[in-house]
Amino acid sequence: MGTSSERAEAARQGGHSAQLTAGGPGAPRMAPEDGRAAGGAQPPVALSPSRASDFQQCPLLYRFRVIDKLPEKPSAAATRGTVVHAVLERLFDAPAAERTAPGARAMVPGEWEKLLARRPELAELFADDADGERLSAWLAEAEALVERWFSLEDPTRLEPAERELYVETVLESGLQLRGFIDRVDIAPTGEVRIVDYKTGKAPRPQFAEGALFQMKFYALVMWRRGGAVPRRLQLVYLGSGDVVTYDPTEADLRGVERKLLALWEAIQLATRTGDWRPRPTKLCGWCDHQAHCPEFGGTPPVYPLQVRPAEPGGEPQGRMGAI
């Protein structure tokens, strides 16, 4: 069956250059919410934090990734993040005394080779690197991120209850929520801490809510699965050496649930009507789909699902930007 990281990769949401998939780290991740069968496209059936963020950022981007499954170029930064995550997961396979920074750094090249074996196309990242200088610098950056983690947490004092934990629940409304959690710690008293590793820098306070939304999503799923509200949510930013924590309440999670229900209604409306409006932002400059985007003079692929006109008085899908 492979490691937990490999099993996670086989089910994670796909169609994103910042993510990987089936067959272990490095294969294209298949999104549980994609609902894509062998016979062709199908409507989305569930929601993950990544896809929820996609729709909030740009409904058309969500369509390109979930409905159309348009390919995206591999990203050196995202691929490095996958390697770092694999090291931080597998480090806990070793006895506590052997979880050292030098040992973790030494794991980086091996995890990169495993990833490359599963996704040979990632070699394109360094296709013009004949002398290997860029690859060496890239690996050194990954090693530095791994080493920085040791200044933020002490793995010799941690025994995670779960790593790369797949969580899923169905709300009373019927909405399925799914996702993967990097690490779950359980205190002797039973209190739960959800931990997520970020290889980038901590956002400025005014932009921190986006990352917390992902963590609250996970907390909501765990709570609705029949557990208690997690005691703490912890974001570990390896790029800047920051640790951000948040202690959620039931009121917080009920608010997230309401937002997700409204978001899902908007996604269902767009799915029925085929009305996936682009939402231009500064992030458009990093989008791989400009050739298909009307904002850049492109034409989206033929919509592969049956279109039904919006009901009179229906909420315009394009007004979901506040969620």
Side-chain angles (χ1 to χ4, degrees):
M1 292 292 292
T3 67
S4 59
S5 207
E6 290 166 345
R7 294 192 296 272
E9 292 293 345
R12 286 212 194 216
Q13 48 276 14
H16 191 320
S17 62
Q19 299 175 344
L20 309 171
T21 72
R29 292 179 182 165
M30 297 304 295
E33 67 273 25
D34 289 346
R36 181 100 172 194
Q42 293 184 358
V45 297
L47 196 60
S48 73
S50 296
R51 298 294 79 84
S53 295
D54 283 347
F55 190 84
Q56 292 179 84
Q57 176 185 326
C58 175
L60 186 58
L61 174 64
Y62 177 98
R63 178 202 148 169
F64 286 158
R65 287 177 169 167
V66 175
I67 305 296
D68 299 300
K69 295 286 196 176
L70 296 184
E72 298 184 1
K73 298 176 182 178
S75 158
T79 303
R80 182 175 58 232
T82 300
V83 170
V84 170
H85 274 73
V87 170
L88 297 185
E89 179 196 353
R90 291 170 182 152
L91 181 69
F92 287 101
D93 291 339
E98 298 177 15
R99 300 170 195 163
T100 65
R105 287 184 65 113
M107 294 170 65
V108 168
E111 292 302 327
W112 160 240
E113 292 299 329
K114 292 177 186 177
L115 189 59
L116 186 59
R118 292 180 176 90
R119 281 192 72 188
E121 69 273 18
L122 291 177
E124 298 174 9
L125 293 170
F126 305 102
D128 58 350
D129 186 31
D131 59 3
E133 183 176 346
R134 286 182 51 241
L135 175 59
S136 295
W138 182 84
L139 289 170
E141 291 169 355
E143 292 171 3
L145 291 171
V146 167
E147 185 167 20
R148 179 170 289 155
W149 177 65
F150 284 79
S151 69
L152 305 174
E153 297 190 284
D154 182 358
T156 66
R157 300 171 61 87
L158 294 171
E159 291 297 340
E162 300 286 353
R163 290 170 279 157
E164 284 290 333
L165 175 66
Y166 174 69
V167 292
E168 177 181 14
T169 194
V170 179
L171 303 180
E172 290 184 1
S173 66
L175 171 58
Q176 298 180 49
L177 303 179
R178 300 172 178 176
F180 280 82
I181 300 173
D182 287 345
R183 198 180 86 217
V184 177
D185 301 331
I186 300 179
T189 55
E191 294 176 317
V192 173
R193 177 173 64 183
I194 297 175
V195 180
D196 193 72
Y197 307 122
K198 301 293 186 185
T199 50
K201 297 181 180 180
R204 287 177 289 178
Q206 61 267 40
F207 301 113
E209 186 56 34
L212 282 177
F213 169 80
Q214 173 192 7
M215 301 299 283
K216 291 177 182 178
F217 183 108
Y218 294 145
L220 171 64
V221 173
M222 294 192 71
W223 178 43
R224 289 306 193 195
R225 287 172 73 200
V229 173
R231 174 68 178 83
R232 174 154 294 181
L233 310 178
Q234 180 167 302
L235 288 154
V236 181
Y237 288 96
L238 304 176
S240 56
D242 294 299
V243 175
V244 177
T245 62
Y246 183 83
D247 296 342
T249 64
E250 281 195 16
D252 286 333
L253 302 189
R254 291 184 191 279
V256 171
E257 186 171 21
R258 289 192 297 271
K259 289 182 178 182
L260 289 172
L261 291 174
L263 184 63
W264 187 243
E265 289 178 3
I267 291 173
Q268 290 181 311
L269 176 60
T271 302
R272 291 193 304 267
T273 64
D275 182 10
W276 301 92
R277 304 178 190 179
R279 182 175 297 129
T281 68
K282 294 180 180 179
L283 296 175
C284 291
W286 284 272
C287 183
D288 281 345
H289 306 304
Q290 292 182 10
H292 296 285
C293 180
E295 292 293 324
F296 293 87
T299 302
V302 175
Y303 191 55
L305 302 176
Q306 182 179 2
V307 173
R308 288 180 286 164
E311 297 178 1
E315 179 70 14
Q317 166 267 330
R319 293 181 59 186
M320 293 305 299
I323 291 182

